[in-house]
Amino acid sequence: MDLDLTPAQEDFRAEARAWLAGHVPRTPLASLETEEGFAEHRAWERTLHAGRWSAVSWPAVYGGRGRSFLEWLVFEEEYWAAGAPARVSQNGIGLLAPTLLEHGTQEQRARILPAMASGETVWAQAWSEPEAGSDLASLRSVAVRTAGGWLLSGQKTWSSRAAFADRAFGLFRSHASAGRPHEGLTYAMFGLDAEGVRVRPVGRLDGRPAFAEIFLDEAFVPDRDVVGTPGDGWRVAMSTAGSERGLTLRSPGRYVAAARRLVALWRAAADPGDTALRDRVADAVVRARAYQLYGYACAAGGPRGAEPSLTKLFWSELDLALHETALDLLGPYGELAGPAGDAPAHGGWAEGFVFALAGPVYAGTNEIQRDIVAERLLGLPKGRRA
């Protein structure tokens, strides 16, 4: 595998770096899990879109640059190295958009993707239910056929971004006669301000509404907002899940940048005699670099099948290791949150740790991902789910 970029790719990296240097806010934005921070991050999406950096790998007709997967990886490296804000549009750009490009209609792409790229429409993910999290196929929310569309009823929970977002995408049981749990499902998009939809924020560990419950009472969805064939939603949803667990949601550049910040923190604040902590820093750097090389291998045509489960295990545990090591290095000082004037990195390590705690749970728990790896990749007999 050739790890050298072409002159054109190097030019692309330089262009991205220069633009980010001139536009990334000098003061960190407020947490996107607050109303104020959400608005600030939406404005940042507009800035990215104005520079044509909000969706670099999309076709230009939808607001992208038509760049390759490798160039997307390069952009992500520069994005996170520049200390740019977290993407409030990530559920849309990273999850729904790839799904629409694979399963959506031309009309859906033309109608939905430009507004997503510009930050005009921010999307929430509405999959989990009170008794259907990692076991998504046990969901109970329903879609009932009506004239011109479907009536959605039920309850979704732990819906990321739903507290302040505009629209959501979810999975609903539409064909009661289907024989198996993952059959007879329909993938639908709906407005969070639509009649029959009620949103109730759910506080995270720090009290901020990073999630929400969504209650649907015969909310109408027109046919044009169904993705794929009604009743075949599971296949469409697995496309979204592949993006969520793989490289699309959590690019290597994010972890490489965090590892570099961790090394800088070590050099600035650590006890050189603490070899145990030093080894943890080194281990995190090696793992971040390994993830980066895995991304390059995928760009070169490497395997990208059931591997998203492996990838999800890797990045979720790496994220925790990076932030736990940083907080151990900082000691009690590291627990200061963003509003504290002397909080390290404006509270970034503490907030990042709170977010990383959820990594082994969302996008399918790590226990489920290990089952998938054991059964589908290694061919081992079924265990707890048999």
Side-chain angles (χ1 to χ4, degrees), residues 5 28-29 36 38 45 78 83 91 107 129 132 165 237 252 270 289 293 312 317-319 326 343:
L5 298 180
L29 306 183
E36 173 197 7
F38 199 92
E45 294 291 335
E78 295 300 323
N91 284 334
E107 186 278 333
E129 299 187 4
R289 176 64 171 158
L293 294 175
K312 195 267 175 174
E317 295 182 355
L318 172 58
D319 206 21

Side-chain angles (χ1 to χ4, degrees), residues 72-73 76 80 87 90-91 95 161 243-255 291 311-312 315-316 319 355 359 362:
W72 173 77
L73 290 172
E76 287 283 304
W80 295 107
R87 301 290 303 275
Q90 193 170 49
N91 284 334
L95 304 183
R161 308 282 179 269
S243 297
E244 186 177 25
R245 295 166 185 166
L247 290 158
T248 306
L249 187 70
R250 299 283 176 255
S251 69
R254 174 192 182 109
Y255 303 95
Y291 191 34
T311 310
K312 195 267 175 174
W315 59 246
S316 62
D319 206 21
F355 185 83
Y362 68 79

Side-chain angles (χ1 to χ4, degrees), residues 133-384:
S134 292
D135 185 15
L136 184 62
S138 62
L139 63 87
R140 297 180 179 179
S141 293
V142 298
V144 177
R145 194 77 176 110
T146 189
W150 299 81
L151 295 174
L152 308 182
S153 296
Q155 179 185 355
K156 300 290 182 178
T157 191
W158 306 119
S159 297
S160 304
R161 308 282 179 269
F164 307 114
D166 307 296
R167 291 176 61 79
F169 52 92
L171 204 58
F172 298 85
R173 193 162 299 286
S174 56
H175 296 67
S177 60
R180 302 172 62 186
H182 60 273
E183 295 176 346
L185 301 170
T186 292
Y187 194 117
M189 303 175 287
F190 57 95
L192 290 171
D193 60 350
E195 184 176 354
V197 178
R198 181 167 62 91
V199 177
R200 185 167 68 185
V202 175
R204 197 172 56 179
L205 186 63
D206 59 5
R208 293 168 174 160
F211 315 98
E213 292 179 292
I214 302 173
F215 300 90
L216 302 116
D217 183 11
E218 296 191 338
F220 176 73
V221 167
D223 286 328
R224 70 174 189 161
D225 278 347
V226 168
V227 184
T229 303
D232 191 31
W234 185 257
R235 188 170 63 91
V236 183
M238 290 304 98
S239 175
T240 308
S243 297
E244 186 177 25
R245 295 166 185 166
L247 290 158
T248 306
L249 187 70
R250 299 283 176 255
S251 69
R254 174 192 182 109
Y255 303 95
V256 171
R260 286 174 178 158
R261 291 197 302 274
L262 182 62
V263 171
L265 189 63
W266 163 266
R267 288 174 174 161
D271 172 7
D274 190 344
T275 56
L277 193 52
R278 182 202 61 185
D279 289 350
R280 288 171 60 192
V281 172
D283 181 68
V285 171
V286 169
R287 291 164 67 184
R289 176 64 171 158
Y291 191 34
Q292 182 184 34
L293 294 175
Y294 172 73
Y296 292 161
C298 290
R304 296 169 67 182
E307 283 76 6
S309 291
L310 276 174
T311 310
K312 195 267 175 174
L313 286 167
F314 193 87
W315 59 246
S316 62
E317 295 182 355
L318 172 58
D319 206 21
L320 261 179
L322 283 163
H323 288 87
E324 284 178 336
T325 304
L327 292 188
D328 287 346
L329 199 158
L330 289 164
Y333 190 56
E335 297 180 12
L336 293 175
D342 53 352
H346 302 280
W349 286 115
E351 182 160 357
F353 173 69
V354 171
F355 185 83
L357 284 173
V361 178
Y362 68 79
T365 65
N366 283 8
E367 288 80 3
I368 294 295
Q369 303 315 305
R370 286 191 167 87
D371 280 347
I372 293 173
V373 170
E375 296 165 13
R376 300 181 191 175
L377 294 182
L378 303 178
L380 301 178
K382 291 187 177 183
R384 76 192 90 192

